[in-house]
Amino acid sequence: DIVMTQSPDSLAVSLGERATINCKSSQSVLYSSNNKNYLAWYQQKPGQPPKLLIYWASTRESGVPDRFSGSGSGTDFTLTISSLQAEDVAVYYCQEYYNAPFTFGPGTKVDIK
Amino acid sequence: QVQLVQSGAEVKKPGASVKVSCKASGYTFTGYFIHWVRQAPGQGLEWMGRINPNSDGTNYAQKFQDRVTMTRDTSISTGYMELIRLTSDDTAVYYCARASAVVPNLLDYWGQGTLVTVSS
């Protein structure tokens, strides 16, 4: 099974400032046949189901604000919120969808400083 | 619009079973896999397995292999997840999620979640 790790566990950022979350997979999620990274990011607010933000490591889901961006390849990935808004307070999870059991990272909690 | 509506909260005793339903609407039910993910209180997300509503084929996480069964009823566009031999460790919110038809195993729509509480 692929093991996903995230850092930091939590962070507090001032409104309008940048938030950066890291995700690492225990093996590459880059599929050589299509050169795509099978890595997604989800946002989960309290009492709500997760919401898809980013897939293919860097493709924003329709309707997701452009302050959210994803980068990285192979085993190392980053989610960046370029200018934190109050509504971005949430837990963020990465997930590999390369190989079952499609594991999630442990999550990173983002708060306002 | 795509919607996944799950059944209501359940309270079960240790050793019992629970069956959670997930009714889909707004799309062709048989065209998209349904995945099940759970989240224990204050914890992260755990993938349990998936079902292909078209073929009835299933894949389960090793951890749940001997306790979980995923089924579907295409006549009512509903998927089910049954978990047996419950323990307190199974107390969690259980989510169904639809997998994208374009991006394999990418979970693009989620149900609202069903809280299952296991307590004596």
Side-chain angles (χ1 to χ4, degrees):
Chain A
D1 297 357
I2 297 176
V3 177
M4 307 298 291
T5 56
Q6 288 182 231
S7 62
D9 295 335
S10 65
L11 74 161
V13 175
S14 300
L15 288 172
E17 295 301 305
R18 179 184 300 261
T20 301
I21 301 169
N22 300 300
C23 173
K24 181 181 277 286
S25 57
S26 61
Q27 64 189 73
S28 177
V29 298
L30 175 62
Y31 192 38
S32 56
S33 69
N34 60 7
N35 200 37
K36 289 185 179 293
N37 289 282
Y38 284 60
L39 190 284
W41 289 96
Y42 296 87
Q43 175 194 65
Q44 187 178 33
K45 297 180 180 180
Q48 296 184 19
K51 173 189 173 185
L52 176 63
L53 294 179
I54 302 274
Y55 59 98
W56 295 141
S58 61
T59 301
R60 261 189 310 275
E61 173 72 333
S62 176
V64 173
D66 62 6
R67 64 179 180 274
F68 292 93
S69 64
S71 63
S73 185
T75 61
D76 291 277
F77 302 92
T78 300
L79 175 70
T80 301
I81 309 172
S82 61
S83 175
L84 191 75
Q85 305 300 303
E87 61 265 32
D88 301 334
V89 169
V91 179
Y92 293 84
Y93 295 94
C94 60
Q95 185 206 18
E96 64 85 9
Y97 51 97
Y98 183 78
N99 268 339
F102 309 125
T103 47
F104 292 85
T108 295
K109 186 175 182 181
V110 174
D111 269 320
I112 305 294
K113 186 187 293 183
Chain B
Q1 74 284 20
V2 174
Q3 277 195 300
L4 298 171
V5 178
Q6 299 182 222
S7 48
E10 303 261 14
V11 179
K12 296 293 183 180
K13 293 199 182 303
S17 302
V18 69
K19 190 171 186 176
V20 179
S21 69
C22 172
K23 182 168 177 60
S25 61
Y27 71 96
T28 302
F29 179 65
T30 51
Y32 300 76
F33 280 62
I34 292 287
H35 293 230
W36 290 87
V37 175
R38 78 176 186 179
Q39 185 171 38
Q43 302 302 307
L45 301 166
E46 183 173 32
W47 185 82
M48 300 180 68
R50 65 179 179 179
I51 182 168
N52 179 345
N54 188 46
S55 68
D56 202 29
T58 55
N59 301 99
Y60 303 136
Q62 183 92 8
K63 175 178 178 177
F64 302 103
Q65 188 76 35
D66 60 345
R67 293 200 300 134
V68 72
T69 303
M70 296 175 188
T71 57
R72 90 300 189 226
D73 183 339
T74 56
S75 69
I76 56 172
S77 298
T78 299
Y80 302 92
M81 187 284 300
E82 182 176 28
L83 192 62
I84 65 173
R85 298 198 304 270
L86 294 169
T87 72
S88 58
D89 289 341
D90 294 314
T91 293
V93 175
Y94 290 77
Y95 293 103
C96 63
R98 189 190 82 162
S100 165
V102 176
V103 181
N105 303 306
L106 180 70
L107 306 179
D108 59 0
Y109 287 91
W110 294 64
Q112 83 276 19
T114 296
L115 176 62
V116 175
T117 302
V118 183
S119 174
S120 55

